[in-house]
PDB file of all heavy atoms in Angstrom:
ATOM      1  N   CYS A   1     -42.283  20.831   3.962  1.00  0.00           N
ATOM      2  CA  CYS A   1     -41.094  20.972   4.810  1.00  0.00           C
ATOM      3  C   CYS A   1     -41.305  20.167   6.079  1.00  0.00           C
ATOM      4  O   CYS A   1     -42.301  20.365   6.779  1.00  0.00           O
ATOM      5  CB  CYS A   1     -40.852  22.434   5.150  1.00  0.00           C
ATOM      6  SG  CYS A   1     -39.570  22.692   6.397  1.00  0.00           S
ATOM      7  N   VAL A   2     -40.367  19.290   6.347  1.00  0.00           N
ATOM      8  CA  VAL A   2     -40.396  18.510   7.585  1.00  0.00           C
ATOM      9  C   VAL A   2     -39.345  19.088   8.524  1.00  0.00           C
ATOM     10  O   VAL A   2     -38.171  19.218   8.152  1.00  0.00           O
ATOM     11  CB  VAL A   2     -40.115  17.029   7.318  1.00  0.00           C
ATOM     12  CG1 VAL A   2     -40.126  16.254   8.629  1.00  0.00           C
ATOM     13  CG2 VAL A   2     -41.127  16.453   6.350  1.00  0.00           C
ATOM     14  N   ALA A   3     -39.776  19.429   9.715  1.00  0.00           N
ATOM     15  CA  ALA A   3     -38.883  20.013  10.708  1.00  0.00           C
ATOM     16  C   ALA A   3     -38.598  18.990  11.805  1.00  0.00           C
ATOM     17  O   ALA A   3     -39.446  18.157  12.136  1.00  0.00           O
ATOM     18  CB  ALA A   3     -39.507  21.254  11.324  1.00  0.00           C
ATOM     19  N   SER A   4     -37.412  19.057  12.355  1.00  0.00           N
ATOM     20  CA  SER A   4     -37.059  18.206  13.488  1.00  0.00           C
ATOM     21  C   SER A   4     -36.162  18.991  14.431  1.00  0.00           C
ATOM     22  O   SER A   4     -35.526  19.976  14.043  1.00  0.00           O
ATOM     23  CB  SER A   4     -36.364  16.926  13.016  1.00  0.00           C
ATOM     24  OG  SER A   4     -35.215  17.224  12.257  1.00  0.00           O
ATOM     25  N   GLY A   5     -36.149  18.561  15.684  1.00  0.00           N
ATOM     26  CA  GLY A   5     -35.298  19.220  16.674  1.00  0.00           C
ATOM     27  C   GLY A   5     -35.879  20.480  17.275  1.00  0.00           C
ATOM     28  O   GLY A   5     -35.182  21.196  17.997  1.00  0.00           O
ATOM     29  N   ILE A   6     -37.135  20.778  16.960  1.00  0.00           N
ATOM     30  CA  ILE A   6     -37.796  21.944  17.538  1.00  0.00           C
ATOM     31  C   ILE A   6     -39.153  21.515  18.085  1.00  0.00           C
ATOM     32  O   ILE A   6     -39.669  20.464  17.707  1.00  0.00           O
ATOM     33  CB  ILE A   6     -38.001  23.081  16.514  1.00  0.00           C
ATOM     34  CG1 ILE A   6     -38.925  22.645  15.366  1.00  0.00           C
ATOM     35  CG2 ILE A   6     -36.665  23.561  15.968  1.00  0.00           C
ATOM     36  CD1 ILE A   6     -39.340  23.777  14.445  1.00  0.00           C
ATOM     37  N   SER A   7     -39.711  22.320  18.954  1.00  0.00           N
ATOM     38  CA  SER A   7     -41.065  22.063  19.467  1.00  0.00           C
ATOM     39  C   SER A   7     -42.057  22.565  18.432  1.00  0.00           C
ATOM     40  O   SER A   7     -42.668  23.624  18.576  1.00  0.00           O
ATOM     41  CB  SER A   7     -41.254  22.776  20.799  1.00  0.00           C
ATOM     42  OG  SER A   7     -40.307  22.320  21.751  1.00  0.00           O
ATOM     43  N   PHE A   8     -42.210  21.792  17.377  1.00  0.00           N
ATOM     44  CA  PHE A   8     -42.917  22.250  16.172  1.00  0.00           C
ATOM     45  C   PHE A   8     -44.322  22.744  16.482  1.00  0.00           C
ATOM     46  O   PHE A   8     -44.732  23.800  16.002  1.00  0.00           O
ATOM     47  CB  PHE A   8     -42.970  21.102  15.163  1.00  0.00           C
ATOM     48  CG  PHE A   8     -43.635  21.454  13.871  1.00  0.00           C
ATOM     49  CD1 PHE A   8     -42.911  22.032  12.840  1.00  0.00           C
ATOM     50  CD2 PHE A   8     -44.994  21.193  13.681  1.00  0.00           C
ATOM     51  CE1 PHE A   8     -43.522  22.359  11.638  1.00  0.00           C
ATOM     52  CE2 PHE A   8     -45.612  21.519  12.481  1.00  0.00           C
ATOM     53  CZ  PHE A   8     -44.870  22.097  11.461  1.00  0.00           C
ATOM     54  N   SER A   9     -45.066  22.020  17.275  1.00  0.00           N
ATOM     55  CA  SER A   9     -46.491  22.316  17.433  1.00  0.00           C
ATOM     56  C   SER A   9     -46.757  23.668  18.074  1.00  0.00           C
ATOM     57  O   SER A   9     -47.838  24.232  17.898  1.00  0.00           O
ATOM     58  CB  SER A   9     -47.178  21.210  18.223  1.00  0.00           C
ATOM     59  OG  SER A   9     -46.657  21.157  19.538  1.00  0.00           O
ATOM     60  N   ILE A  10     -45.794  24.209  18.800  1.00  0.00           N
ATOM     61  CA  ILE A  10     -46.025  25.484  19.468  1.00  0.00           C
ATOM     62  C   ILE A  10     -45.337  26.650  18.761  1.00  0.00           C
ATOM     63  O   ILE A  10     -45.473  27.789  19.189  1.00  0.00           O
ATOM     64  CB  ILE A  10     -45.552  25.444  20.942  1.00  0.00           C
ATOM     65  CG1 ILE A  10     -44.031  25.261  21.021  1.00  0.00           C
ATOM     66  CG2 ILE A  10     -46.283  24.355  21.704  1.00  0.00           C
ATOM     67  CD1 ILE A  10     -43.481  25.410  22.430  1.00  0.00           C
ATOM     68  N   ARG A  11     -44.644  26.363  17.672  1.00  0.00           N
ATOM     69  CA  ARG A  11     -43.890  27.398  16.987  1.00  0.00           C
ATOM     70  C   ARG A  11     -44.665  27.968  15.804  1.00  0.00           C
ATOM     71  O   ARG A  11     -45.360  27.244  15.081  1.00  0.00           O
ATOM     72  CB  ARG A  11     -42.552  26.848  16.483  1.00  0.00           C
ATOM     73  CG  ARG A  11     -41.669  26.264  17.561  1.00  0.00           C
ATOM     74  CD  ARG A  11     -41.281  27.278  18.611  1.00  0.00           C
ATOM     75  NE  ARG A  11     -40.425  28.314  18.120  1.00  0.00           N
ATOM     76  CZ  ARG A  11     -39.094  28.253  18.077  1.00  0.00           C
ATOM     77  NH1 ARG A  11     -38.469  27.176  18.488  1.00  0.00           N
ATOM     78  NH2 ARG A  11     -38.395  29.270  17.633  1.00  0.00           N
ATOM     79  N   THR A  12     -44.544  29.277  15.611  1.00  0.00           N
ATOM     80  CA  THR A  12     -45.030  29.885  14.377  1.00  0.00           C
ATOM     81  C   THR A  12     -44.021  29.546  13.281  1.00  0.00           C
ATOM     82  O   THR A  12     -42.826  29.819  13.425  1.00  0.00           O
ATOM     83  CB  THR A  12     -45.163  31.405  14.518  1.00  0.00           C
ATOM     84  OG1 THR A  12     -46.166  31.694  15.497  1.00  0.00           O
ATOM     85  CG2 THR A  12     -45.562  32.043  13.194  1.00  0.00           C
ATOM     86  N   MET A  13     -44.503  28.952  12.222  1.00  0.00           N
ATOM     87  CA  MET A  13     -43.632  28.516  11.128  1.00  0.00           C
ATOM     88  C   MET A  13     -43.818  29.412   9.914  1.00  0.00           C
ATOM     89  O   MET A  13     -44.883  29.990   9.704  1.00  0.00           O
ATOM     90  CB  MET A  13     -43.942  27.072  10.747  1.00  0.00           C
ATOM     91  CG  MET A  13     -43.672  26.075  11.861  1.00  0.00           C
ATOM     92  SD  MET A  13     -41.953  26.046  12.389  1.00  0.00           S
ATOM     93  CE  MET A  13     -41.127  25.510  10.877  1.00  0.00           C
ATOM     94  N   GLY A  14     -42.783  29.485   9.109  1.00  0.00           N
ATOM     95  CA  GLY A  14     -42.861  30.345   7.939  1.00  0.00           C
ATOM     96  C   GLY A  14     -42.157  29.766   6.733  1.00  0.00           C
ATOM     97  O   GLY A  14     -41.302  28.892   6.850  1.00  0.00           O
ATOM     98  N   TRP A  15     -42.576  30.246   5.582  1.00  0.00           N
ATOM     99  CA  TRP A  15     -41.875  29.982   4.325  1.00  0.00           C
ATOM    100  C   TRP A  15     -41.176  31.270   3.906  1.00  0.00           C
ATOM    101  O   TRP A  15     -41.787  32.350   3.923  1.00  0.00           O
ATOM    102  CB  TRP A  15     -42.833  29.526   3.233  1.00  0.00           C
ATOM    103  CG  TRP A  15     -43.226  28.092   3.343  1.00  0.00           C
ATOM    104  CD1 TRP A  15     -44.351  27.587   3.905  1.00  0.00           C
ATOM    105  CD2 TRP A  15     -42.476  26.968   2.863  1.00  0.00           C
ATOM    106  NE1 TRP A  15     -44.350  26.214   3.818  1.00  0.00           N
ATOM    107  CE2 TRP A  15     -43.215  25.808   3.175  1.00  0.00           C
ATOM    108  CE3 TRP A  15     -41.266  26.822   2.179  1.00  0.00           C
ATOM    109  CZ2 TRP A  15     -42.777  24.529   2.842  1.00  0.00           C
ATOM    110  CZ3 TRP A  15     -40.829  25.549   1.846  1.00  0.00           C
ATOM    111  CH2 TRP A  15     -41.579  24.413   2.180  1.00  0.00           C
ATOM    112  N   TYR A  16     -39.927  31.112   3.535  1.00  0.00           N
ATOM    113  CA  TYR A  16     -39.101  32.215   3.089  1.00  0.00           C
ATOM    114  C   TYR A  16     -38.702  31.955   1.639  1.00  0.00           C
ATOM    115  O   TYR A  16     -38.699  30.812   1.177  1.00  0.00           O
ATOM    116  CB  TYR A  16     -37.824  32.296   3.913  1.00  0.00           C
ATOM    117  CG  TYR A  16     -37.998  32.524   5.388  1.00  0.00           C
ATOM    118  CD1 TYR A  16     -38.458  31.515   6.235  1.00  0.00           C
ATOM    119  CD2 TYR A  16     -37.664  33.753   5.956  1.00  0.00           C
ATOM    120  CE1 TYR A  16     -38.599  31.720   7.594  1.00  0.00           C
ATOM    121  CE2 TYR A  16     -37.789  33.969   7.324  1.00  0.00           C
ATOM    122  CZ  TYR A  16     -38.247  32.954   8.127  1.00  0.00           C
ATOM    123  OH  TYR A  16     -38.362  33.169   9.482  1.00  0.00           O
ATOM    124  N   ARG A  17     -38.293  33.015   0.960  1.00  0.00           N
ATOM    125  CA  ARG A  17     -37.725  32.813  -0.358  1.00  0.00           C
ATOM    126  C   ARG A  17     -36.556  33.764  -0.546  1.00  0.00           C
ATOM    127  O   ARG A  17     -36.485  34.823   0.087  1.00  0.00           O
ATOM    128  CB  ARG A  17     -38.763  33.003  -1.470  1.00  0.00           C
ATOM    129  CG  ARG A  17     -39.369  34.388  -1.610  1.00  0.00           C
ATOM    130  CD  ARG A  17     -40.459  34.333  -2.668  1.00  0.00           C
ATOM    131  NE  ARG A  17     -41.080  35.638  -2.893  1.00  0.00           N
ATOM    132  CZ  ARG A  17     -42.142  35.824  -3.659  1.00  0.00           C
ATOM    133  NH1 ARG A  17     -42.721  34.790  -4.258  1.00  0.00           N
ATOM    134  NH2 ARG A  17     -42.635  37.036  -3.831  1.00  0.00           N
ATOM    135  N   GLN A  18     -35.648  33.339  -1.415  1.00  0.00           N
ATOM    136  CA  GLN A  18     -34.435  34.105  -1.641  1.00  0.00           C
ATOM    137  C   GLN A  18     -33.997  33.975  -3.088  1.00  0.00           C
ATOM    138  O   GLN A  18     -33.855  32.863  -3.611  1.00  0.00           O
ATOM    139  CB  GLN A  18     -33.316  33.624  -0.720  1.00  0.00           C
ATOM    140  CG  GLN A  18     -32.048  34.450  -0.784  1.00  0.00           C
ATOM    141  CD  GLN A  18     -31.043  34.018   0.269  1.00  0.00           C
ATOM    142  OE1 GLN A  18     -31.030  32.874   0.715  1.00  0.00           O
ATOM    143  NE2 GLN A  18     -30.198  34.948   0.690  1.00  0.00           N
ATOM    144  N   ALA A  19     -33.787  35.111  -3.717  1.00  0.00           N
ATOM    145  CA  ALA A  19     -33.241  35.148  -5.068  1.00  0.00           C
ATOM    146  C   ALA A  19     -31.738  35.387  -4.969  1.00  0.00           C
ATOM    147  O   ALA A  19     -31.260  35.936  -3.970  1.00  0.00           O
ATOM    148  CB  ALA A  19     -33.912  36.255  -5.863  1.00  0.00           C
ATOM    149  N   PRO A  20     -30.990  34.986  -5.977  1.00  0.00           N
ATOM    150  CA  PRO A  20     -29.533  35.200  -5.948  1.00  0.00           C
ATOM    151  C   PRO A  20     -29.179  36.658  -5.706  1.00  0.00           C
ATOM    152  O   PRO A  20     -29.726  37.561  -6.344  1.00  0.00           O
ATOM    153  CB  PRO A  20     -29.091  34.743  -7.345  1.00  0.00           C
ATOM    154  CG  PRO A  20     -30.114  33.770  -7.761  1.00  0.00           C
ATOM    155  CD  PRO A  20     -31.413  34.267  -7.175  1.00  0.00           C
ATOM    156  N   GLY A  21     -28.303  36.901  -4.738  1.00  0.00           N
ATOM    157  CA  GLY A  21     -27.854  38.253  -4.458  1.00  0.00           C
ATOM    158  C   GLY A  21     -28.813  39.089  -3.632  1.00  0.00           C
ATOM    159  O   GLY A  21     -28.550  40.275  -3.381  1.00  0.00           O
ATOM    160  N   LYS A  22     -29.918  38.469  -3.215  1.00  0.00           N
ATOM    161  CA  LYS A  22     -30.905  39.220  -2.436  1.00  0.00           C
ATOM    162  C   LYS A  22     -31.056  38.600  -1.051  1.00  0.00           C
ATOM    163  O   LYS A  22     -30.682  37.456  -0.819  1.00  0.00           O
ATOM    164  CB  LYS A  22     -32.251  39.241  -3.155  1.00  0.00           C
ATOM    165  CG  LYS A  22     -32.242  40.041  -4.443  1.00  0.00           C
ATOM    166  CD  LYS A  22     -33.655  40.217  -4.977  1.00  0.00           C
ATOM    167  CE  LYS A  22     -33.669  41.096  -6.211  1.00  0.00           C
ATOM    168  NZ  LYS A  22     -35.050  41.302  -6.738  1.00  0.00           N
ATOM    169  N   GLN A  23     -31.648  39.370  -0.153  1.00  0.00           N
ATOM    170  CA  GLN A  23     -31.881  38.865   1.198  1.00  0.00           C
ATOM    171  C   GLN A  23     -33.044  37.892   1.214  1.00  0.00           C
ATOM    172  O   GLN A  23     -33.985  37.985   0.406  1.00  0.00           O
ATOM    173  CB  GLN A  23     -32.195  40.028   2.136  1.00  0.00           C
ATOM    174  CG  GLN A  23     -30.961  40.709   2.711  1.00  0.00           C
ATOM    175  CD  GLN A  23     -31.277  41.477   3.983  1.00  0.00           C
ATOM    176  OE1 GLN A  23     -32.331  42.078   4.085  1.00  0.00           O
ATOM    177  NE2 GLN A  23     -30.361  41.470   4.925  1.00  0.00           N
ATOM    178  N   ARG A  24     -32.975  36.957   2.139  1.00  0.00           N
ATOM    179  CA  ARG A  24     -34.066  36.023   2.335  1.00  0.00           C
ATOM    180  C   ARG A  24     -35.277  36.782   2.888  1.00  0.00           C
ATOM    181  O   ARG A  24     -35.152  37.620   3.780  1.00  0.00           O
ATOM    182  CB  ARG A  24     -33.624  34.929   3.298  1.00  0.00           C
ATOM    183  CG  ARG A  24     -34.478  33.710   3.322  1.00  0.00           C
ATOM    184  CD  ARG A  24     -33.783  32.614   4.109  1.00  0.00           C
ATOM    185  NE  ARG A  24     -32.614  32.108   3.401  1.00  0.00           N
ATOM    186  CZ  ARG A  24     -31.598  31.480   3.993  1.00  0.00           C
ATOM    187  NH1 ARG A  24     -31.590  31.314   5.307  1.00  0.00           N
ATOM    188  NH2 ARG A  24     -30.584  31.036   3.284  1.00  0.00           N
ATOM    189  N   GLU A  25     -36.455  36.465   2.345  1.00  0.00           N
ATOM    190  CA  GLU A  25     -37.677  37.196   2.688  1.00  0.00           C
ATOM    191  C   GLU A  25     -38.713  36.228   3.260  1.00  0.00           C
ATOM    192  O   GLU A  25     -38.985  35.185   2.652  1.00  0.00           O
ATOM    193  CB  GLU A  25     -38.228  37.856   1.427  1.00  0.00           C
ATOM    194  CG  GLU A  25     -39.598  38.476   1.569  1.00  0.00           C
ATOM    195  CD  GLU A  25     -40.243  38.826   0.232  1.00  0.00           C
ATOM    196  OE1 GLU A  25     -39.903  38.186  -0.787  1.00  0.00           O
ATOM    197  OE2 GLU A  25     -41.093  39.724   0.205  1.00  0.00           O
ATOM    198  N   LEU A  26     -39.310  36.579   4.367  1.00  0.00           N
ATOM    199  CA  LEU A  26     -40.425  35.797   4.909  1.00  0.00           C
ATOM    200  C   LEU A  26     -41.677  36.173   4.133  1.00  0.00           C
ATOM    201  O   LEU A  26     -42.074  37.334   4.130  1.00  0.00           O
ATOM    202  CB  LEU A  26     -40.620  36.089   6.396  1.00  0.00           C
ATOM    203  CG  LEU A  26     -41.805  35.420   7.080  1.00  0.00           C
ATOM    204  CD1 LEU A  26     -41.653  33.904   7.086  1.00  0.00           C
ATOM    205  CD2 LEU A  26     -41.965  35.943   8.504  1.00  0.00           C
ATOM    206  N   VAL A  27     -42.291  35.217   3.469  1.00  0.00           N
ATOM    207  CA  VAL A  27     -43.453  35.537   2.638  1.00  0.00           C
ATOM    208  C   VAL A  27     -44.769  35.097   3.262  1.00  0.00           C
ATOM    209  O   VAL A  27     -45.818  35.662   2.931  1.00  0.00           O
ATOM    210  CB  VAL A  27     -43.336  34.927   1.230  1.00  0.00           C
ATOM    211  CG1 VAL A  27     -42.184  35.563   0.469  1.00  0.00           C
ATOM    212  CG2 VAL A  27     -43.162  33.426   1.284  1.00  0.00           C
ATOM    213  N   VAL A  28     -44.723  34.119   4.127  1.00  0.00           N
ATOM    214  CA  VAL A  28     -45.963  33.630   4.707  1.00  0.00           C
ATOM    215  C   VAL A  28     -45.653  32.913   6.027  1.00  0.00           C
ATOM    216  O   VAL A  28     -44.577  32.313   6.159  1.00  0.00           O
ATOM    217  CB  VAL A  28     -46.691  32.688   3.729  1.00  0.00           C
ATOM    218  CG1 VAL A  28     -45.810  31.519   3.347  1.00  0.00           C
ATOM    219  CG2 VAL A  28     -48.003  32.206   4.268  1.00  0.00           C
TER     220      VAL A  28
END
């Protein structure tokens, strides 16, 4: 994932996942 427009180096970043009909979940 390439991010832009944010102060990337100081931000905690995460991967989320979402199944159809379900809420997006932060997994890591």
Side-chain angles (χ1 to χ4, degrees):
C1 171
V2 179
S4 57
I6 63 171
S7 300
F8 182 86
S9 64
I10 65 172
R11 302 299 293 272
T12 296
M13 297 299 298
W15 281 97
Y16 299 73
R17 64 185 181 187
Q18 186 173 26
K22 292 190 176 181
Q23 275 201 322
R24 196 169 290 158
E25 171 194 26
L26 176 64
V27 294
V28 58

